[in-house]
Amino acid sequence: MAWTVYLTRKAHKQLLKLPQSIQDLADLAVADLEEQGINPQGWNTLKTDDDEYRLRLNYRYRMRYRVTDSQIVEIEIFYVGHRREAYR
């Protein structure tokens, strides 16, 4: 089953400001989310709220996302950035 993954406008802008190595990691994470769903293997994920999850890109950067509609299997990525701002 393939999932539909999309970035919000804010998350896309945040991603473009990050170093290229982190952007490459985020691309790999998005590809794994599309293929495997909300808990892709090989990534450190944590369920933070009801339908919100946190994916650890590396020791400093995080990607936060939510399942917008489990019937349509959509994942909305709403934050990509440094961990100090990830939980504010």
Side-chain angles (χ1 to χ4, degrees):
M1 177 193 318
W3 290 69
T4 303
V5 179
Y6 63 94
L7 276 79
T8 61
R9 181 178 292 213
K10 183 178 178 181
H12 184 70
K13 286 182 179 182
Q14 291 169 342
L15 183 61
L16 292 177
K17 292 178 184 178
L18 297 177
Q20 186 63 41
S21 61
I22 303 302
Q23 290 181 22
D24 294 341
L25 277 175
D27 289 341
L28 289 173
V30 167
D32 285 345
L33 282 170
E34 286 176 345
E35 182 180 319
Q36 300 176 21
I38 55 177
N39 287 320
Q41 290 181 344
W43 295 97
N44 185 355
T45 59
L46 178 70
K47 187 171 184 174
T48 57
D49 264 346
D50 228 6
D51 289 330
E52 291 187 4
Y53 296 84
R54 183 225 7 123
L55 185 140
R56 185 176 175 180
L57 295 174
N58 71 2
Y59 69 98
R60 287 188 183 162
Y61 291 92
R62 306 291 188 263
M63 177 184 292
R64 292 185 61 205
Y65 57 95
R66 67 175 63 101
V67 178
T68 56
D69 190 359
S70 60
Q71 303 296 329
I72 304 175
V73 292
E74 281 187 348
I75 297 174
E76 173 190 43
I77 298 171
F78 62 91
Y79 176 82
V80 179
H82 198 279
R83 67 187 177 108
R84 74 174 158 244
E85 287 97 20
Y87 307 108
R88 292 183 186 175

